[in-house]
Amino acid sequence: MGIDPVFALAAAVSVVSGLMTVTRRNPVYSAVWMLACFIALAVVYLRLDAPFLAAMHVLVYTGAILVLFLFVIMLLNLKPEEFPPEPSLPAKGVCALLCLGLFGLLAVPMWFAAVELQGGTIDAKGPAFGGVEYVGEALFGPYALPFELMSVLIMVAIFGGVVLARRKAA
Amino acid sequence: MHNLLETVFSHPAVRGGAKIAFCIGFFVLALVPLLVILERRISAFMQNRVGPDRVNLPFINRLGGILPGGLAQPLADAIKLLFKEDIIPSGADKFLYLAGPVLVLVPPALGMIVIPFGSNIGGEPLQVAHLGVGILFTMSVLSVAVYGLAFGGWASNNKWSLIGGMRASAQLVSYELSLGLSILAVLMLSGAMDPKGGTVDPRELVQRQADHGWNIFGGGNPWLLPAGLGGFLLFFISALAENNRLPFDLPECEAELVGGYHTEYSSMKFSLFMMGEFVGMILMCSLMVTLFLGGWSLPPLFGALNGANEWLAGGSILQGLVSVGIFVSKVMVLLLLYIAIRWTLPRFKYTQLMDLGWKRLLPLALANIAYVAVVGVAASGGQP
């Protein structure tokens, strides 16, 4: 079984643009590369038969969260001389090693899972698997409790934001 | 000849291509110039002026006075804009400066592909792409359009442009909430009366409205009438804000920001911004027609129009074209309403805009959802 070329291209674009996001010094360019990364990720989701996830990803992350990032970046409107200084080479090296280590922690189990799967078949539910109906039934059926707990978590984040904002005003 | 046409059109790629060609050719390329001249003539009429009435279509010359004058004005304007000097400011960020207008025009044009613009011709549904995520696709594509304004404003390296771009991004994020929530309410509303429950498939939404009644009238349930009407109003107001139309056109208000995000744009790049705005309006109105006003169907009122919708879905070429005509007429009525509002209401202050979005429309949209949820469950006899 070969690799789907669209998937491969989108995955490559997402990795490259992700790297560009963290290495640009101009924050607006970081946001632009992040936009490219998000759209490539949406294509990855589409190729993985998860159209609902793709649509929600674009709607929430691209359409709302990244716009707010961009809004704040534009509000600060940093000039080139105000950009953070270039980190030293050892600092860069340590960061790169840490990132690679984290990536390795994720990649090794995935690799073994992939090797295990080579013999068997994935429980393929077809294109309906990632559709609106399936995701909705899963979220409000067997996963209702974790789903509701997630909203409590978000509430906590909102309370935290309010508390922080009030402290600054006082 | 007839057989040849049938053979050619039996190929799915040809039928798909024809539908894409209609979608782009009509909703983007033909309707936009028409809207430009309508906007200018109607504003002139409302302000007791004459407006552009000189440039006529060549050869037909107003067909002996049947056509109004000035119909070819947008064409003349487009030719003029093409030959204008195309200036890129020296301090501008070239790539993002060029990406801005493209990102404004492409998303709304892309969003049109899931809109069913007619019933069917020979069983071929008049909708470019039948996606599982349906309306969600349009919503997510629409939410990307703000980047054109934000990038254009930032890349121009101009304070007015920057403020315009920032205003656009804050405004669009704020009003997307009430827009999305009013869509959610109408999806629940159309699911309340159907045994299959809710759906995000626009074709199915229109079919249900053809069978039971338009969603703006509660989708066949009189108890849901307030939710339908209220939801439509919420959607309409949010759509005005999403399209940066008066009274919400603060990102480009000429009194304080020269032109906002498009201050530094000239020639065709400027007209791409304008086109993007108009295509955005067309998409919003098409969404309203699909979600609330029954798409291509006629309202099943008083039994007088019984059977009309079955006839429209019949599948002959004539029936298909009539259904497209009904859809387009509804979109045109909404567009004329947009234009009339633009030349009637004054512009809000930015604080008022944010107050309206967050403190009025958002709670109202949430209340609307709660109402639909309670009444919907009651209507279906307690069976969710």
Side-chain angles (χ1 to χ4, degrees):
Chain A
M1 197 181 92
I3 293 176
D4 174 20
V6 180
F7 176 86
L9 185 71
V13 169
S14 67
V15 170
V16 170
S17 52
L19 275 177
M20 295 298 268
T21 306
V22 293
T23 51
R24 294 307 90 187
R25 288 184 66 219
N26 186 338
V28 173
Y29 282 132
S30 283
V32 173
W33 281 108
M34 206 165 172
L35 172 64
C37 181
F38 280 170
I39 290 177
L41 274 182
V43 176
V44 168
Y45 292 147
L46 275 182
R47 298 310 294 184
L48 291 175
D49 275 342
F52 179 67
L53 190 57
M56 278 299 129
H57 178 76
V58 174
L59 188 61
V60 176
Y61 282 90
T62 318
I65 292 177
L66 190 55
V67 176
L68 284 182
F69 284 4
L70 200 63
F71 177 75
V72 173
I73 292 169
M74 279 163 55
L75 193 69
L76 298 173
N77 200 20
L78 292 178
K79 289 169 190 64
E81 57 267 22
E82 293 167 342
F83 290 163
E86 185 91 5
S88 65
L89 202 62
K92 275 186 185 171
V94 170
C95 284
L97 276 179
L98 273 176
C99 290
L100 277 177
L102 271 176
F103 182 73
L105 280 180
L106 281 171
V108 170
M110 281 228 190
W111 175 261
F112 283 114
V115 169
E116 249 171 57
L117 275 174
Q118 295 257 307
T121 52
I122 307 169
D123 178 22
K125 295 193 165 64
F129 168 64
V132 183
E133 288 84 5
Y134 192 88
V135 174
E137 272 165 22
L139 276 186
F140 290 100
Y143 299 105
L145 186 65
F147 179 71
E148 295 300 332
L149 284 177
M150 274 303 280
S151 58
V152 175
L153 196 65
I154 293 169
M155 276 296 275
V156 171
I158 295 175
F159 289 153
V162 172
V163 167
L164 284 177
R166 278 176 67 112
R167 190 175 294 163
K168 203 161 273 179
Chain B
M1 186 64 198
H2 190 251
N3 277 337
L4 180 71
L5 269 180
E6 245 173 35
T7 329
V8 168
F9 270 91
S10 66
H11 197 278
V14 175
R15 288 188 288 185
K19 286 191 285 188
I20 293 173
F22 179 79
C23 225
I24 299 295
F26 182 76
F27 286 109
V28 179
L29 296 178
L31 213 50
V32 168
L34 184 66
L35 273 179
V36 173
I37 187 67
L38 273 176
E39 173 119 55
R40 296 186 61 183
R41 287 305 295 269
I42 291 174
S43 70
F45 170 75
M46 292 176 76
Q47 298 167 341
N48 233 345
R49 293 184 286 118
V50 178
D53 69 338
R54 296 291 121 175
V55 190
N56 288 315
L57 295 164
F59 313 119
I60 7 180
N61 200 18
R62 300 190 52 197
L63 288 175
I66 302 171
L67 293 172
L71 268 186
Q73 184 71 44
L75 187 67
D77 287 346
I79 293 170
K80 181 195 77 174
L81 278 165
L82 263 178
F83 286 100
K84 281 233 170 184
E85 187 185 356
D86 193 4
I87 301 161
I88 298 179
S90 55
D93 183 300
K94 266 224 185 90
F95 176 73
L96 289 182
Y97 182 82
L98 295 177
V102 179
L103 279 176
V104 168
L105 179 61
V106 171
L110 205 58
M112 286 301 296
I113 66 168
V114 294
I115 304 284
F117 53 84
S119 58
N120 66 81
I121 292 180
E124 177 77 17
L126 295 176
Q127 177 195 29
V128 173
H130 189 225
L131 302 177
V133 287
I135 295 291
L136 290 174
F137 173 80
T138 310
M139 284 299 294
S140 63
V141 168
L142 257 180
S143 67
V144 178
V146 62
Y147 287 103
L149 310 186
F151 288 159
W154 181 80
S156 301
N157 197 18
N158 175 321
K159 285 192 179 103
W160 288 309
S161 304
L162 182 67
I163 294 173
M166 277 168 51
R167 281 184 177 182
S169 46
Q171 173 176 335
L172 265 69
V173 169
S174 306
Y175 279 79
E176 216 162 69
L177 283 172
S178 44
L179 192 79
L181 290 176
S182 56
I183 290 184
L184 196 59
V186 80
L187 294 180
M188 287 163 65
L189 188 153
S190 89
M193 290 301 286
D194 204 279
K196 274 182 288 178
T199 178
V200 290
D201 175 8
R203 213 195 288 165
E204 174 77 23
L205 278 170
V206 172
Q207 190 56 51
R208 285 184 189 178
Q209 293 181 73
D211 296 341
H212 308 306
W214 293 2
N215 283 339
I216 189 175
F217 302 127
N221 184 343
W223 288 100
L224 286 172
L225 177 71
L229 269 176
F232 178 74
L233 270 179
L234 283 171
F235 190 99
F236 190 81
I237 296 170
S238 312
L240 278 177
E242 285 280 307
N243 287 140
N244 296 320
R245 290 286 293 188
L246 264 166
F248 305 106
D249 73 334
L250 288 116
E252 50 179 314
C253 64
E254 61 280 0
E256 11 179 321
L257 296 182
V258 188
Y261 52 84
H262 63 60
T263 304
E264 295 286 352
Y265 282 88
S266 56
S267 189
M268 275 317 274
K269 292 210 252 322
F270 167 75
S271 64
L272 275 185
F273 271 120
M274 287 286 105
M275 269 182 84
E277 185 183 324
F278 279 111
V279 178
M281 278 166 61
I282 294 168
L283 175 62
M284 277 298 179
C285 292
S286 307
L287 258 183
M288 272 184 257
V289 170
T290 307
L291 288 171
F292 292 95
L293 300 173
W296 47 263
S297 69
L298 288 168
L301 280 179
F302 313 120
L305 289 167
N306 268 354
N309 288 331
E310 283 77 21
W311 184 81
L312 284 171
S316 78
I317 292 181
L318 173 73
Q319 288 160 334
L321 289 182
V322 171
S323 72
V324 173
I326 291 173
F327 179 83
V328 172
S329 337
K330 287 182 195 171
V331 172
M332 280 313 290
V333 169
L334 286 177
L335 286 169
L336 291 179
L337 195 59
Y338 257 62
I339 293 173
I341 286 174
R342 170 163 185 190
W343 300 102
T344 307
L345 293 176
R347 183 181 294 131
F348 284 136
K349 285 196 293 189
Y350 206 72
T351 49
Q352 293 170 328
L353 171 94
M354 285 294 155
D355 272 5
L356 182 70
W358 288 101
K359 295 186 187 162
R360 309 272 155 74
L361 294 187
L362 186 59
L364 277 175
L366 285 171
N368 194 26
I369 288 185
Y371 180 82
V372 175
V374 172
V375 178
V377 170
S380 56
Q383 293 294 312

